[in-house]
Amino acid sequence: MTDDRKRLTASEERLVALADERAFKVLRSPTVKYLELEHAGQGQVGYVGRETPQGTISVLVSPETDLGRLTSIPGLTIPDKFRFGAAMIKFPKGMNKGKEESHDGYRIVCADITAYCRLLERLVSEECGPV
């Protein structure tokens, strides 16, 4: 049986198409919470959050990302704390509130499609550092 919650919405398909234009490919089947994207040439991984309010775009980036390099992008809300999620398997693990480590990353909220595209472009630029 197919889980309809994993089927991409039209807006998610648009985000995937925009990522594809920037050489990011969907790595594996979507989960209920995330779409996993990887840059074809550089290997950077990001997760597009699927459980966000309508009209909101969130991208989870590695905890090793230099967030300071992203602050100059207009339209991004950059957190100061990690977000934990078991499905972000390409990211390192850290200790959350429980007894076991869980994968973690920074959840960056993009104000619009333009901010999303700029974020993807910056993630693979040489000046961003490890992602």
Side-chain angles (χ1 to χ4, degrees):
M1 182 196 307
T2 303
D3 187 345
D4 285 340
R5 298 174 304 164
K6 293 182 181 178
R7 189 170 298 145
L8 297 182
T9 65
S11 60
E12 290 170 337
E13 287 179 4
R14 183 171 183 215
L15 294 176
V16 168
L18 291 167
D20 186 61
E21 290 173 9
R22 287 151 183 84
F24 280 89
K25 305 296 180 199
V26 175
L27 281 185
R28 60 187 172 119
S29 297
T31 67
V32 173
K33 295 185 178 192
Y34 306 108
L35 295 172
E36 184 176 83
L37 301 174
E38 181 175 37
H39 189 268
Q42 296 182 9
Q44 284 87 349
V45 175
Y47 293 88
V48 175
R50 300 189 72 196
E51 294 185 323
T52 58
Q54 189 161 354
T56 303
I57 304 167
S58 69
V59 178
L60 290 106
V61 299
S62 171
E64 299 167 347
T65 302
D66 180 0
L67 297 180
R69 303 280 186 184
L70 304 177
T71 58
S72 64
I73 301 173
L76 296 185
T77 302
I78 300 174
D80 57 356
K81 294 183 180 180
F82 294 136
R83 178 166 184 113
F84 293 88
M88 298 184 292
I89 62 171
K90 296 280 186 165
F91 288 173
K93 288 184 174 186
M95 188 57 74
N96 193 10
K97 296 175 186 172
K99 295 180 181 179
E100 295 183 22
E101 291 185 334
S102 182
H103 299 281
D104 55 12
Y106 289 109
R107 181 178 173 255
I108 298 175
V109 177
C110 306
D112 54 27
I113 291 288
T114 303
Y116 169 75
C117 292
R118 287 183 185 141
L119 172 61
L120 294 179
E121 290 163 1
R122 182 67 57 87
L123 289 176
V124 294
S125 70
E126 290 180 30
E127 62 186 51
C128 191
V131 182

